[in-house]
Amino acid sequence: MWSFFKNNHKEKIDINANIDLERIPKHIAIIMDGNGRWAKERRLPRTMGHRQGVIAIKRIVKECSQLGVKYLTLYAFSTENWKRSQEEVSALMNLLVEFLISEINELHKNGVVVNSIGNISGLPEKCQEQLKASFERTKNNKGLVLNLALNYGGRDEIVNAVKKLVTKVDAGELTEEDINEDVLSRLMYTGGMPDPDLIIRPSGEQRLSNFLLWQCAYSEFWYSNIKWPDFSVEDLHNAIYDFQNRDRRFGAVK
Ligand code: FPP
């Protein structure tokens, strides 16, 4: 079905053999880092790194969908990214619109549900329109949920959830005794989704950068020096393979 990338799966046969297809992580989240450095190394403008990053998005979405990952959350624009130059911000917004317009048929055909986390009302109108059209078109699909983190910040998300909580308490819908982790989880942008099992950060940095702060309590982290535009299907397989060999105890003793 997928035709994003033809003949790009030479390596898949061998590497997939190492992955237990019965234990694919349900939710993978990725901090798509290194686009700027990728471009700099090639003496290209930073925006070319982002453009190449979109190509990586396409191959990783396709592979996650084929592997049966249920949720893929991509950190595409943080609440802090507004501090970048006007030119770069605007290039990123244009890439988002371009991506949604050019890929929506393919995504829809393959059962992908397009979703977002973050405060999208802060995005330019054209992005909001394209996002809403994509949500509407794909909302009844049953495949991979592609969660685009846009104007997203983990702290902002927690503040936002607390505000919703206070509103509910004020309205008498909840009392102090009702408040617990589940209630707060449901008020996050990710409400109703499982926490990420695996968080991937390419490009050599080993920090969270305000990503999924509430949800990452028991996520497994996977870092690599590869820059996001170069992130391959093989890298994804390696991350999943490593994940499958971790001993997840969730604080308990086996
Ligand atoms: C981080 O690399 C990357 C971003 C802030 C933007 C990620 C966005 C895309 C890949 C494309 C747009 C999104 C969609 C959904 C179409 P960086 O620029 O911080 O890299 P650097 O650390 O090397 O400078």
Side-chain angles (χ1 to χ4, degrees), residues 9-203:
H9 277 62
K10 287 194 282 325
E11 75 272 57
K12 185 174 165 186
I13 302 113
D14 311 337
I15 298 154
N16 254 352
N18 294 328
I19 296 176
D20 180 351
L21 294 171
E22 301 300 313
R23 291 191 303 120
I24 294 295
K26 205 182 259 179
H27 187 169
I28 297 180
I30 307 182
I31 302 174
M32 305 183 289
D33 196 15
N35 298 348
R37 277 163 287 164
W38 183 93
K40 196 172 171 202
E41 281 167 6
R42 290 161 180 78
R43 297 173 199 273
L44 294 169
R46 291 178 58 80
T47 51
M48 287 306 290
H50 296 313
R51 188 163 283 283
Q52 202 65 26
V54 176
I55 298 177
I57 292 179
K58 294 180 197 174
R59 61 176 171 262
I60 297 306
V61 168
K62 175 182 172 185
E63 187 61 17
C64 283
S65 168
Q66 288 180 332
L67 285 172
V69 173
K70 188 59 203 159
Y71 297 90
L72 174 66
T73 300
L74 300 178
Y75 206 3
F77 195 86
S78 76
T79 45
E80 288 73 35
N81 285 155
W82 296 108
K83 294 180 204 156
R84 297 188 175 203
S85 73
Q86 175 60 41
E87 187 199 354
E88 185 169 345
V89 169
S90 141
L92 284 167
M93 296 302 153
N94 289 338
L95 278 176
L96 171 66
V97 172
E98 221 178 272
F99 169 77
L100 292 171
I101 292 176
S102 68
E103 304 309 329
I104 194 64
N105 286 339
E106 188 76 4
L107 293 167
H108 184 48
K109 203 163 67 183
N110 287 285
V112 173
V113 179
V114 179
N115 192 42
S116 75
I117 57 171
N119 179 10
I120 64 163
S121 69
L123 298 178
E125 202 61 47
K126 61 180 181 193
C127 296
Q128 293 188 46
E129 278 169 21
Q130 214 53 57
L131 281 164
K132 283 174 192 158
S134 307
F135 300 159
E136 191 52 34
R137 175 105 186 266
T138 60
K139 68 180 182 197
N140 295 320
N141 288 344
K142 300 282 176 266
L144 173 77
V145 176
L146 173 60
N147 238 351
L148 300 173
L150 293 162
N151 194 17
Y152 173 89
R155 288 184 171 180
D156 176 65
E157 178 178 39
I158 294 168
V159 168
N160 186 54
V162 171
K163 283 184 180 167
K164 288 189 213 158
L165 193 66
V166 170
T167 307
K168 285 185 185 295
V169 172
D170 284 350
E173 289 171 39
L174 284 178
T175 66
E176 188 186 332
E177 289 69 44
D178 297 325
I179 300 172
N180 57 34
E181 291 183 13
D182 283 347
V183 169
L184 213 42
S185 286
R186 276 197 295 274
L187 296 174
M188 299 289 160
Y189 292 126
T190 51
M193 301 176 198
D195 288 341
D197 301 293
L198 173 61
I199 297 183
I200 294 174
R201 182 165 194 161
S203 98

